[in-house]
Amino acid sequence: MPMSDNRKSQLTAFDQLLTIMNELREQCPWDKKQTMETLRHLTIEETFELSDAILNSDMEEIKKELGDLLLHIVFYARLGDEQQAFDIGAVIRQLNEKLIRRHPHIYADTEARDEEAVKQNWEKIKLKEKGNQSVLGGVPRSLPALIKAMRIQEKARGVGFDWEADEQVWEKVQEELEEFKEAVDYREKDKEAVAAEFGDLLFSLINYARFLEINPEEALERTNRKFIHRFQFLETAARNSGKSLADMSLAEMDVFWEAAKKQE
């Protein structure tokens, strides 16, 4: 099948990026000094900036942040090439092979009639590839706790360890809430127990969100943004009325808070 003009244009753009990366690494004082370690925190920052753009549904910003991340991938590949460890071609070939291997319902004779079957196949193949003794062995330790809880639950589900219905999960949430309340009643005696029960409650809520097809990380971030917007409205409204938040009562602040909610 002849290559489309659009594909040719894409390959040309990628080839130019590789050329630019080589030129920057050889000629730019800043790029010359970078290592995988110095780039690491910048890559994390770029990933969060992409996340912000996605939450804002800003397609232009998403395009920009994807470019920044792609630059980092190409940069790491260049560094790997310099160390004679790998190059961008090896990175892409390994990815291609993995995608083909983990989609046997497309490239082999395995059946997968729905999304859940695909996920289960993926986790089983991944477990076999990595030789992990535990299906949870692939969850990065450095993940933020909320995201880690999501991944733990997803991986357990991938091998069939999960609730059957969301009603069962909701019952578990209520059970954990009662246990948390009981621990709070005795918090002067055992604060560690309160913290443990709070963790159990959060874990069960994340589980319930998963059953409702809600991403708890995104949901919490949207609530964070909503609170920030309302609080900053409160600050501005108080300032415009010649008042200081520190000198206002909660009842006075609540008037501005309700105004912020109505503005939304």
Side-chain angles (χ1 to χ4, degrees), residues 49-65:
E49 289 179 0
L50 173 61
S51 176
D52 284 347
I54 292 172
L55 287 176
N56 290 333
S57 299
D58 188 336
M59 296 305 292
E60 190 61 32
E61 194 65 16
I62 290 172
K63 180 177 70 173
K64 170 183 171 294
E65 298 302 339

Side-chain angles (χ1 to χ4, degrees), residues 68-255:
D68 290 344
L69 266 182
L70 179 57
L71 170 61
H72 280 238
I73 292 169
V74 170
F75 209 147
Y76 286 119
R78 165 68 196 228
L79 294 171
D81 193 12
E82 291 174 8
Q83 298 174 38
Q84 298 183 334
F86 56 83
D87 61 13
I88 191 65
V91 170
I92 295 172
R93 283 191 295 273
Q94 187 175 65
L95 173 61
N96 292 343
E97 292 167 2
K98 181 172 72 175
L99 290 174
I100 292 171
R101 193 169 57 249
R102 293 192 184 176
H103 290 81
H105 55 289
I106 302 295
Y107 301 104
D109 55 3
T110 301
E111 288 190 11
R113 298 184 178 181
D114 56 29
E115 177 189 4
E116 190 56 41
V118 173
K119 287 182 179 179
Q120 290 186 9
N121 282 340
W122 180 282
E123 291 299 338
K124 289 175 183 176
I125 295 169
K126 186 175 181 180
L127 186 62
K128 186 181 298 183
E129 287 175 354
K130 295 198 170 186
N132 291 330
Q133 294 184 343
S134 169
V135 71
L136 303 180
V139 179
R141 294 182 181 180
S142 58
L143 274 180
L146 194 152
I147 299 176
K148 185 187 291 186
M150 292 167 52
R151 293 298 293 135
I152 288 171
Q153 293 168 7
E154 289 169 352
K155 284 184 173 293
R157 181 177 180 81
V159 292
F161 186 79
D162 204 3
W163 300 95
E164 294 179 352
D166 54 14
E167 293 85 358
Q168 296 172 308
V169 189
W170 179 241
E171 289 177 6
K172 184 63 176 175
V173 171
Q174 292 177 310
E175 176 188 322
E176 295 295 353
L177 179 59
E178 285 302 315
E179 291 179 3
F180 174 63
K181 289 166 64 179
E182 288 177 11
V184 168
D185 290 340
Y186 297 96
R187 61 185 177 275
E188 295 302 326
K189 296 180 180 179
D190 195 346
K191 291 185 178 180
E192 287 187 8
V194 176
E197 294 299 342
F198 183 68
D200 291 347
L201 176 59
L202 279 179
F203 193 85
S204 64
L205 280 170
I206 292 167
N207 215 359
Y208 188 57
R210 180 172 58 84
F211 266 78
L212 299 182
E213 298 183 352
I214 295 171
N215 185 309
E217 167 71 19
E218 292 182 4
L220 181 58
E221 177 57 20
R222 291 184 189 281
T223 296
N224 289 341
R225 291 175 175 224
K226 181 169 60 178
F227 183 90
I228 290 170
H229 172 77
R230 290 177 182 177
F231 192 81
Q232 290 177 339
F233 179 93
L234 167 63
E235 289 177 313
T236 301
R239 204 160 39 241
N240 291 341
S241 65
K243 298 180 179 179
S244 167
L245 291 183
D247 299 325
M248 294 173 64
S249 67
L250 282 176
E252 290 175 313
M253 286 190 279
D254 193 52
V255 173

Side-chain angles (χ1 to χ4, degrees), residues 39-54:
L39 288 176
R40 176 181 173 275
H41 75 281
L42 297 175
T43 307
I44 294 171
E45 182 179 334
E46 294 293 354
T47 303
F48 279 108
E49 289 179 0
L50 173 61
S51 176
D52 284 347
I54 292 172

